[in-house]
């Protein structure tokens, strides 16, 4: 099946690349770029058809994210994060979906999933308050998915949840100033005190059980694959795209480079540079191929109506974190061997190196934790984690 949205996005890539430096300096993706991506249909790729979405093959979505990230890591990151939220909203009660998309199917949703918000039970729902960090692209959004910690009368934690909150119920603090992914506008969200009705709350244990109220109306296989795979792949895809784009930029820049030291000569004739290119390209390809293979396998199982095996879910997380690690290793090799040519602030190789490592720091790319879970499963031990 053809990735129609990617075809539209390719027409936007030169402009996205031209505005990458501007995006970084402004610390946010330009409104015009977001509008162009909305018009291309990127943010509707994982949105339910019944709410104007495309219900695309998720592999196509990740492919599109990688293409954008290759030109601008910050734009690709925001695209991935805001683009995956319609998939999550599709698991909420249909009343919540209608509140977000009823008047405007292009409404965007931000997030900060860390359960740092305090919530207490009240009649018909919950009262929420808190401050959440790192909400990428939040300035472009009308709603936010926020992590909450439910406490009882004694103040003890009894449950973790995700709450859907409208823009009118929270404030945005412009605090984002980072070493990498500087253009993502990942600012803070503050809720002083807001009422969140029951239909806009999901319990996090539902993630690992592969269920949600929205499956009653969104019955397609797309909404029966693991949250952990969809979300973590959305976090890995920009990193892989940035590194793939950096690799291509490296080849373009180095083909004409002549060294003035180390004996001089054309850079491309250096056997060590040739080996580095071979290793880096293989790591990039392996990372992308494994991630796409796993997502396809999950979709095939869901389409056939089969139960998705725990081993398949664990493998997807294993390959996602290892793919990110391989990609970071590849860009480190390219950055190091490119020498002084990669040090000027703002050049694509330097920016890509910073962006890739910033993305790699996300908790979804925590290699050791994910591998430990895979190891437990391989040894036949029970695995209980919302990120599987």
């Amino acid at each position: 099946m053809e990735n129609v949205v990617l075809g539209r996005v390719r027409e936007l890539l030169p402009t996205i690349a031209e505005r990458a430096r501007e995006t970084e300096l402004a610390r946010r993706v330009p409104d015009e770029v977001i509008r162009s991506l909305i018009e291309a249909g990127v943010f509707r790729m994982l949105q339910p058809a019944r709410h104007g979405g495309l219900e695309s093959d998720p592999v196509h979505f990740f492919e599109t994210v990688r293409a954008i990230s290759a030109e601008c890591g910050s734009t690709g990151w925001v695209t991935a994060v805001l683009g995956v939220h319609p998939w999550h909203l599709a698991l909420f009660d249909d009343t919540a979906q209608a509140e977000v998309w009823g008047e405007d199917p292009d409404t965007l949703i931000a997030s900060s999933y860390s359960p740092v918000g305090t919530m207490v039970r009240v009649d018909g729902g919950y009262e929420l308050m808190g401050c959440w960090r790192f909400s990428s692209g939040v300035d472009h959004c009308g709603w936010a998915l926020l992590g909450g910690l439910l406490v009882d009368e004694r103040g003890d934690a009894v449950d973790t949840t995700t709450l859907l909150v409208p823009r009118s119920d929270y404030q945005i603090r412009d605090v984002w100033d980072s070493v990498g992914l500087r253009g993502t506008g990942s600012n803070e969200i503050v809720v002083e005190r807001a009422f969140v009705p029951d239909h806009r709350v999901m319990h996090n244990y539902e993630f690992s059980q592969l269920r949600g109220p929205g499956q009653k109306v969104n019955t397609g296989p797309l909404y029966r694959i693991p949250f952990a795979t969809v979300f973590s792949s959305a976090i890995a895809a920009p990193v892989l795209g940035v590194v793939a784009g950096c690799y291509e930029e490296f080849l373009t820049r180095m083909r004409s480079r002549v060294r003035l030291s180390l004996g001089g000569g054309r850079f491309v004739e250096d056997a060590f540079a040739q080996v580095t290119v071979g290793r880096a390209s293989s790591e990039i390809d392996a990372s992308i191929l494994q991630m796409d293979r796993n997502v396809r396998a999950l979709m095939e199982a869901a389409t056939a109506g089969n139960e998705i095996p725990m081993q398949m879910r664990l493998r997807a997380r294993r390959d996602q974190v290892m793919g990110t690690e391989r990609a970071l290793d590849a860009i480190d090799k390219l950055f190091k061997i490119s020498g002084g040519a990669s040090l000027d602030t703002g050049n694509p190789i330097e920016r890509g190196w910073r962006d890739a490592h910033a993305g790699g720091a996300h908790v979804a790319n925590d290699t050791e934790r994910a591998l430990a879970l895979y190891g437990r499963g391989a040894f036949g031990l029970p695995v209980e984690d919302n990120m599987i």
Side-chain angles (χ1 to χ4, degrees):
M1 184 183 298
E2 183 183 1
N3 187 347
V4 177
V5 174
L6 179 58
R8 300 175 195 150
V9 165
R10 286 198 174 107
E11 298 178 5
L12 307 175
L13 295 181
T15 299
I16 290 173
E18 289 171 6
R19 303 193 71 170
R21 178 65 170 161
E22 172 193 346
T23 297
E24 181 168 76
L25 294 175
R27 297 182 295 114
R28 62 180 302 225
V29 180
D31 292 339
E32 298 82 1
V33 172
I34 293 294
R35 280 198 295 270
S36 67
L37 293 172
I38 288 174
E39 292 169 0
V42 177
F43 299 112
R44 293 200 192 196
M45 292 184 79
L46 302 184
Q47 190 166 317
R50 55 192 300 278
H51 282 294
L54 303 175
E55 286 194 35
S56 302
D57 183 336
V59 172
H60 287 175
F61 173 68
F62 299 131
E63 180 183 27
T64 303
V65 167
R66 291 195 300 263
I68 296 169
S69 303
E71 305 301 333
C72 174
S74 291
T75 302
W77 183 272
V78 170
T79 300
V81 171
L82 302 191
V84 80
H85 293 153
W87 181 91
H88 190 186
L89 180 57
L91 299 181
F92 276 73
D93 187 279
D94 191 40
T95 303
Q97 298 176 49
E99 286 178 326
V100 176
W101 291 318
E103 294 185 6
D104 183 6
D106 286 322
T107 299
L108 300 179
I109 311 158
S111 74
S112 186
Y113 285 109
S114 181
V116 296
T118 300
M119 52 189 294
V120 294
R121 185 70 188 173
V122 296
D123 187 28
Y126 302 87
E127 187 176 76
L128 175 70
M129 63 186 71
C131 177
W132 292 260
R133 300 183 66 192
F134 310 130
S135 184
S136 299
V138 64
D139 291 325
H140 304 289
C141 300
W143 292 76
L145 293 161
L146 302 176
L149 187 66
L150 178 61
V151 296
D152 60 18
E153 296 176 352
R154 297 178 300 179
D156 295 330
V158 295
D159 195 8
T160 57
T161 69
T162 302
L163 306 95
L164 178 65
V165 181
R167 177 67 184 85
S168 57
D169 283 351
Y170 60 83
Q171 298 175 340
I172 301 171
R173 288 179 181 167
D174 185 358
V175 297
W176 183 245
D177 187 8
S178 61
V179 67
L181 295 175
R182 289 185 57 80
T184 59
S186 302
N187 289 311
E188 287 183 353
I189 290 178
V190 179
V191 174
E192 297 292 345
R193 181 173 273 102
F195 170 70
V196 184
D198 285 325
H199 67 266
R200 287 202 252 119
V201 179
M202 275 192 68
H203 302 280
N204 287 359
Y205 61 74
E206 294 177 288
F207 298 160
S208 58
Q209 296 174 354
L210 307 189
R211 63 184 179 88
Q215 290 176 341
K216 296 177 181 178
V217 291
N218 299 317
T219 58
L222 176 59
Y223 306 109
R224 298 190 179 277
I225 60 178
F227 170 89
T229 301
V230 177
F231 177 75
S232 62
S233 296
I235 297 302
V239 177
L240 302 187
V242 165
V243 176
C246 186
Y247 171 78
E248 294 299 332
E249 181 69 24
F250 174 87
L251 292 180
T252 299
R253 284 173 172 251
M254 297 305 167
R255 283 191 181 104
S256 59
R257 183 183 173 194
V258 177
R259 278 181 164 159
L260 301 178
S261 59
L262 299 178
R266 297 177 63 213
F267 182 87
V268 295
E269 299 292 345
D270 185 342
F272 294 103
Q274 295 163 358
V275 169
T276 297
V277 165
R279 289 187 182 279
S281 61
S282 180
E283 298 289 17
I284 295 167
D285 284 353
S287 300
I288 293 172
L289 288 169
Q290 281 191 304
M291 191 173 93
D292 287 355
R293 176 199 66 170
N294 291 327
V295 175
R296 286 194 183 97
L298 290 166
M299 278 295 291
E300 288 171 2
T303 300
N306 298 331
E307 180 180 351
I308 297 177
M310 177 57 70
Q311 179 63 22
M312 187 181 292
R313 296 162 64 175
L314 288 166
R315 187 184 74 185
R317 280 287 281 140
R318 178 199 70 185
D319 292 344
Q320 172 253 316
V321 295
M322 287 301 297
T324 302
E325 186 173 276
R326 290 191 188 99
L328 294 178
D329 182 61
I331 202 169
D332 282 348
K333 285 181 168 61
L334 296 174
F335 183 77
K336 182 177 181 179
I337 201 168
S338 58
S342 64
L343 297 180
D344 293 335
T345 301
N347 81 76
I349 294 177
E350 178 267 346
R351 184 172 58 245
W353 184 79
R354 287 188 289 107
D355 287 348
H357 279 278
H362 193 285
V363 66
N365 290 319
D366 186 337
T367 306
E368 282 69 28
R369 186 177 300 277
L371 294 184
L373 291 172
Y374 181 87
R376 285 185 62 85
F379 282 127
L381 299 175
V383 177
E384 297 180 4
D385 193 285
N386 289 334
M387 283 306 293
I388 291 297

